[in-house]
C-alpha cells in the first residue's frame, strides 16, 4: 500500500532525514532503503526522491558530495547537517504527538477507542 | 585562517550576482552540451539514455544545473543496473519525464543564489502589480463609460424667475435686439460703401491710412473720411434712438430664457432677431451655458451710437439731447448691471465707464457747456448707478452647479465622478472661439483620439470628485464674494483658493483636469475691475458735481463736502484712504481729483512715479500694495484679527498719489519723476 500524495509529502522528507541520520547515503541506496525498511509504504521513485533531496539541500538540512565508490565509479552521497538534525528531532516529536493523538482516537491499531 | 578565507571566497563567489548572470547566459547557447556528452560517455541502455536526455532537456535549467542532474541520474541508473535491474524496470520506475523535469526544475531553482531569487521575486511582483493595474484599469474603464450624469435641477427656470412680476412694457430686450439689428445692418452698409470707395480709389494707401470708421466709432472726428457717412447713418437712425431712450428708462431687460436664437439672413450675413423661449423639459438637453444672451453684444454698440448722436447734438448746440443720450446710455448700463450674470455686470460697468469718460471729455474740452440742472441730473444719474448693489456671484455658482450635474455622475448624496460628458464640456469651455467644439481641447487635452479614449477613464482616479470640484469652486467664490462685500481692504485675502485653483490647473494632464480651476483664475481680475470701477466712477461723479456747482455758483467749491447733497447724493470715498472721500484741490478754475494712491498718504496730487520694479508696476492700480495682509514670520500664513478681518501690514506702494482726473493747464502738470 502506498501513501496518498499529501501524506507522502509530509512523511517523505522525515523518512529521508531519518535514514541519513544513521549514515551518509547515495540516491539509489535511499530508494532501496525507503522501500525495504517501510515495507513499501514509503517507497518512492527517483522522480520524487531527487527533487526532495534538492529541496532539503536548498534548505540546508542535508549536504552532498561526490565520493569514489568501491566499483570505481563516483556517487553523490547525502549527509545530514546540524540544521537537519534539529529538524529531524522536531519532526520526530511532531510525528510522535500525531501518532499519540491518532492512537487516542483509536485510529491506530491496538490503541483505545 | 587560509581555510576560512577560502570558504568566504567560495561563498561569495557562489552568491555573486555576476556568477548567476554568467551561469544563466551560458545556458542560452547549447544548454545540453556537457549533459549529453556525459550521457554519451556513460553508454547506458538506449531506453534509459533517452529518458534521461528527454528529462534533462525539458528541465530548461542552466547548463551546469543540467550537468549536475545528468550526472546524478546516470549514477542512479548505473547503480540500478549494478543491482540487476534491466532497462525497462529502470525506465518504469523513472516516471513521466515531463513531470520529473518539472519537479527537478522547481527544486533546482530553489538552490539558486539569492540574487537570482530576488530577481525572480521582483519580476513576479512587477508582473502581479501590472496585472492588478490592468484589472483595475478595466474596472475603471467600465465604470467610466457606463456612468451617466443625472440632470435633476432646472436652473433655467430659476434664471427665468428673475423676470417674474414684470410686464412686457417694463422690459427693454425687444427694443435692444430690434435696434441692435437695425444698427448692425446700417453699419454693414457703411462698410460696403467704404469698401467700394476704397476700390474706386485703387485701394487704401497704407502710409496715410485712416482707421476704419467702425473701428474708431463713436470717436470719429469731423475730418475723418467716413465721418459724414456715419453722421448721416446716425441721423437716419433717430427713430430707433428715440425707442432706445424710452427703453432705457424701463426697469429691466427681461430677456426670456432660451437656448435657440431666431436668425434672419440678409446681405450674406446673419442677424439674431429674437429668441425661442425655453420649453419646460428643454433644460435636460440644454446647458445653462447655452442660454442665449442675444442683447448683450448690441447694448454696448447702441450705447456708442447714443454717444455719437450726443456729439452730433453738441455740435448743433443741443445740450438737452446730448444729456438725454447720456442718461439713456447710463440707463442701459443700469439695466445690464441689474442682470444677475457676471458677464452682464461687466458689460454694464463698461458702458457706464464709456459714458462717464465721454462726459468728462466734453466737460474738460468745453467748460460751461451744460447748465446746472443738466449737470445735476447727470451727476445724480451717474451716482445712483454707482450705488447699485455690488457684484453678486450666486448665479455664477448656479452655472457651475449646472455644469457639474451635466458632467459628473450622482451617487444620490451630491457626490460623483467625471463622466465622458465632462470631456465634451471641457472642450467647449476651454476651446478658443474660432475653433469651438468638443474636438478642440486645450493643449493638455489635445491629443490623439485613441489615446484620449484610453486615458479619459483615468480621470475617475486622478481628477476631483464632484464634491471636491464644488468645494473648490465654492471656496474661490466665497473668498471673492467676501472681498467684494467687505471692500478693498480685504483684497489680499483673495489668494488662498486662487492659489489652490492655480495649483490644480498647473497639475492638469489629459487624465486630470478641473472645471473649477478653469473658471476661477478670472475671479481675481473681476475683483480688481470692480474696485477700479468704483474708484474711477467716484471720481467722475465728483467731476460732474464740480461742474454743476460751478455752473450755478460761478466758481469751484472750497471743499468736496460742499457738493453734498445738492450735487452728489453721497461723497465718493477714496478706496485708498478708508473712511475718507476722494481728494480734490483746485487752482483758479482748474482742478485735480485724486486718491492717496497705494502708499496711503496724501501727497497733494503729486503723481506717484512709475516704479522700476515690474512686480510693483503691475500692482500699482491693483490695490494689493495698499492693503497687504500681514503674514506670520514663522509659518508665512496670513494673519487675521479676532473678528475675521485681515490684519494688514504697512502699505507697500510707491510714494505719491493716483491722479484720477486732472484738468490743470498742461505746464503745471505734476511730472512723472
Amino acid at each position: 500500500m502506498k501513501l496518498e500524495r499529501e501524506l507522502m509529502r509530509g512523511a517523505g522528507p522525515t523518512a529521508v532525514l531519518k535514514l541519513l541520520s544513521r549514515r551518509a547515503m547515495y540516491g539509489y541506496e535511499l530508494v532501496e532503503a525507503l522501500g525495504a525498511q517501510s515495507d513499501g509504504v514509503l517507497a518512492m521513485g527517483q522522480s520524487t526522491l531527487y527533487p526532495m533531496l534538492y529541496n532539503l539541500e536548498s534548505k540546508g538540512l542535508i549536504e552532498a558530495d561526490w565520493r569514489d565508490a568501491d566499483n570505481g565509479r563516483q556517487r553523490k552521497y547525502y549527509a545530514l547537517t546540524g540544521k537537519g538534525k534539529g529538524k529531524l528531532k522536531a519532526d520526530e516529536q511532531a510525528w510522535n504527538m500525531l501518532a499519540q493523538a491518532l492512537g487516542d482516537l483509536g485510529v491506530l491499531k491496538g490503541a483505545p477507542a | 585562517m587560509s581555510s576560512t578565507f577560502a570558504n568566504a571566497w567560495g561563498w561569495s563567489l557562489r552568491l555573486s550576482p555576476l556568477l548567476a548572470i554568467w551561469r544563466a547566459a551560458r545556458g542560452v547557447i547549447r544548454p545540453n552540451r556537457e549533459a549529453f556528452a556525459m550521457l554519451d560517455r556513460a553508454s547506458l541502455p538506449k531506453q534509459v539514455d533517452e529518458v534521461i536526455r528527454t528529462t534533462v532537456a525539458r528541465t530548461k535549467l542552466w547548463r551546469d544545473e543540467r550537468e549536475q542532474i545528468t550526472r546524478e541520474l546516470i549514477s542512479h541508473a548505473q547503480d540500478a543496473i549494478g543491482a540487476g535491474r534491466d532497462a525497462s524496470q529502470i525506465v518504469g520506475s523513472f516516471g513521466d519525464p515531463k513531470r520529473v523535469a518539472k519537479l527537478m526544475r522547481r527544486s533546482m531553482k530553489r538552490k539558486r543564489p539569492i540574487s537570482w531569487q530576488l530577481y525572480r521575486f521582483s519580476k513576479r511582483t512587477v508582473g502581479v502589480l501590472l496585472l492588478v493595474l490592468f484589472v483595475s484599469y478595466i474596472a475603471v474603464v467600465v465604470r467610466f463609460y457606463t456612468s451617466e450624469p443625472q440632470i435633476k435641477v432646472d436652473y433655467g427656470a430659476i434664471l427665468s424667475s428673475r423676470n417674474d412680476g414684470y410686464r412686457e412694457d417694463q422690459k427693454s430686450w425687444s427694443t435692444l435686439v430690434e435696434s441692435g439689428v437695425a444698427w448692425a445692418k446700417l453699419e454693414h452698409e457703411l462698410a460696403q460703401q467704404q469698401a467700394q470707395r476704397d476700390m474706386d480709389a485703387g485701394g487704401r494707401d497704407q502710409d496715410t491710412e485712416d482707421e476704419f470708421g467702425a473701428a474708431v466709432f463713436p470717436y470719429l472726428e469731423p475730418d475723418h473720411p467716413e465721418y459724414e457717412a456715419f453722421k448721416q447713418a446716425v441721423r437716419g437712425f433717430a427713430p430707433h434712438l428715440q425707442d432706445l431712450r424710452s427703453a432705457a428708462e424701463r426697469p429691466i431687460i427681461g430677456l426670456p430664457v432660451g437656448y435657440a436664437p431666431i436668425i434672419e439672413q440678409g446681405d450674406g450675413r446673419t442677424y439674431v432677431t429674437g429668441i425661442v423661449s425655453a420649453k419646460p423639459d428643454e433644460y435636460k438637453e440644454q446647458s445653462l451655458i447655452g442660454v442665449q444672451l442675444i442683447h448683450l453684444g448690441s447694448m454696448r454698440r447702441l450705447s456708442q451710437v447714443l454717444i455719437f448722436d450726443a456729439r452730433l447734438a453738441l455740435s448743433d448746440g443741443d445740450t438737452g439731447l446730448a444729456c438725454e443720450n447720456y442718461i439713456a446710455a447710463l440707463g442701459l448700463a443700469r439695466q445690464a448691471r441689474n442682470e444677475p450674470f457676471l458677464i452682464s455686470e461687466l458689460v454694464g460697468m463698461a458702458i457706464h465707464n464709456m459714458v462717464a469718460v465721454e462726459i468728462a471729455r466734453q466737460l474738460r474740452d468745453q467748460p460751461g457747456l451744460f447748465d446746472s440742472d443738466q449737470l445735476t441730473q447727470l451727476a445724480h444719474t451717474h451716482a445712483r448707478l454707482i450705488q447699485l448693489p455690488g457684484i453678486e456671484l450666486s448665479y455664477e455658482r448656479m452655472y457651475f452647479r449646472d455644469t457639474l450635474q451635466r458632467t459628473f455622475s450622482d451617487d444620490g448624496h451630491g457626490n460623483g465622478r467625471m463622466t465622458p460628458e465632462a470631456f465634451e464640456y471641457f472642450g467647449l469651455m476651454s476651446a478658443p472661439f474660432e475653433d469651438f467644439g468638443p474636438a478642440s481641447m486645450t493643449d493638455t487635452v489635445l491629443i490623439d483620439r485613441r489615446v484620449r479614449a484610453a486615458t479619459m477613464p483615468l480621470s475617475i482616479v486622478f481628477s476631483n470628485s464632484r464634491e471636491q470640484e464644488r468645494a473648490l469652486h465654492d471656496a474661490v467664490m466665497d473668498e471673492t464674494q467676501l472681498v467684494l462685500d467687505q471692500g478693498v481692504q480685504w483684497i489680499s485675502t483673495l489668494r488662498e483658493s486662487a492659489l489652490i485653483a492655480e495649483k490644480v490647473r498647473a497639475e492638469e494632464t489629459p487624465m486630470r483636469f478641473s472645471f473649477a480651476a478653469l473658471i476661477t483664475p478670472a475671479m481675481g481680475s473681476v475683483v480688481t475691475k470692480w474696485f477700479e470701477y468704483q474708484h474711477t466712477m467716484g471720481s467722475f461723479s465728483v467731476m460732474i458735481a464740480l461742474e454743476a456747482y460751478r455752473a450755478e455758483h460761478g466758481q469751484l467749491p472750497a471743499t468736496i463736502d460742499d457738493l453734498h447733497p445738492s450735487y452728489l447724493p453721497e461723497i465718493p470715498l477714496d478706496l485708498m484712504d478708508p473712511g475718507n472721500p476722494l481728494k480734490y484741490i483746485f487752482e483758479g478754475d482748474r482742478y485735480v481729483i485724486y486718491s492717496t494712491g497705494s502708499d496711503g498718504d496724501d501727497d497733494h496730487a503729486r503723481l506717484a512715479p512709475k516704479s522700476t520694479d515690474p512686480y510693483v508696476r503691475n500692482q500699482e492700480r491693483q490695490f494689493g500694495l495698499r492693503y497687504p495682509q500681514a503674514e506670520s514670520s514663522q509659518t508665512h500664513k496670513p494673519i487675521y484679527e479676532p473678528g475675521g478681518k485681515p490684519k494688514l501690514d504697512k502699505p507697500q506702494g510707491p510714494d505719491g498719489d493716483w491722479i484720477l482726473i486732472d484738468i490743470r493747464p498742461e505746464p503745471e502738470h505734476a511730472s512723472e519723476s
Side-chain angles (χ1 to χ4, degrees), chain B residues 57-74:
Chain B
R58 279 178 176 253
T59 60
K60 296 176 184 170
L61 290 164
W62 293 345
R63 213 151 112 178
D64 63 315
E65 289 169 336
R66 296 186 200 205
E67 194 182 341
Q68 286 174 41
I69 290 171
T70 307
R71 192 178 175 194
E72 185 138 30
L73 291 178
I74 289 170

Side-chain angles (χ1 to χ4, degrees), chain A residues 49-87:
Chain A
L49 177 72
Y50 286 110
M52 186 189 292
L53 288 171
Y54 299 153
N55 283 338
L56 293 172
E57 196 180 359
S58 70
K59 291 175 185 170
L61 301 176
I62 61 173
E63 58 190 3
D65 66 327
W66 287 90
R67 297 179 196 168
D68 292 332
D70 297 340
N71 58 9
R73 291 193 296 104
Q74 280 204 316
R75 287 189 181 119
K76 192 175 184 182
Y77 279 82
Y78 293 91
L80 212 58
T81 63
K83 190 178 173 184
K85 286 173 187 168
K87 171 71 173 146

Side-chain angles (χ1 to χ4, degrees), chain A residues 4-32:
Chain A
E4 281 185 21
R5 183 180 291 181
E6 290 305 314
L7 269 176
M8 190 64 185
R9 191 172 287 172
T14 308
V16 169
L17 291 177
K18 185 66 185 172
L19 288 174
L20 294 179
S21 69
R22 295 168 188 158
R23 62 183 173 82
M25 299 174 83
Y26 55 92
Y28 184 78
E29 194 179 14
L30 278 166
V31 170
E32 290 296 307

Side-chain angles (χ1 to χ4, degrees), chain B residues 415-455:
Chain B
N415 206 353
R417 307 297 316 190
M418 270 187 189
T419 66
E421 279 78 2
F423 286 79
E424 297 291 316
Y425 258 69
F426 197 75
L428 281 170
M429 292 169 71
S430 60
F433 283 111
E434 67 272 20
D435 193 19
F436 213 59
S440 54
M441 299 288 195
T442 54
D443 288 346
T444 52
V445 189
L446 187 63
I447 50 176
D448 182 89
R449 187 174 296 177
R450 283 163 299 184
V451 176
R452 204 177 72 196
T455 54

Side-chain angles (χ1 to χ4, degrees), chain B residues 6 28 54 94 237 247 280 328 344 445 627 658 667:
Chain B
V28 176
T54 308
F94 192 86
F237 199 64
S344 195
V445 189
Y627 301 110
W658 290 357

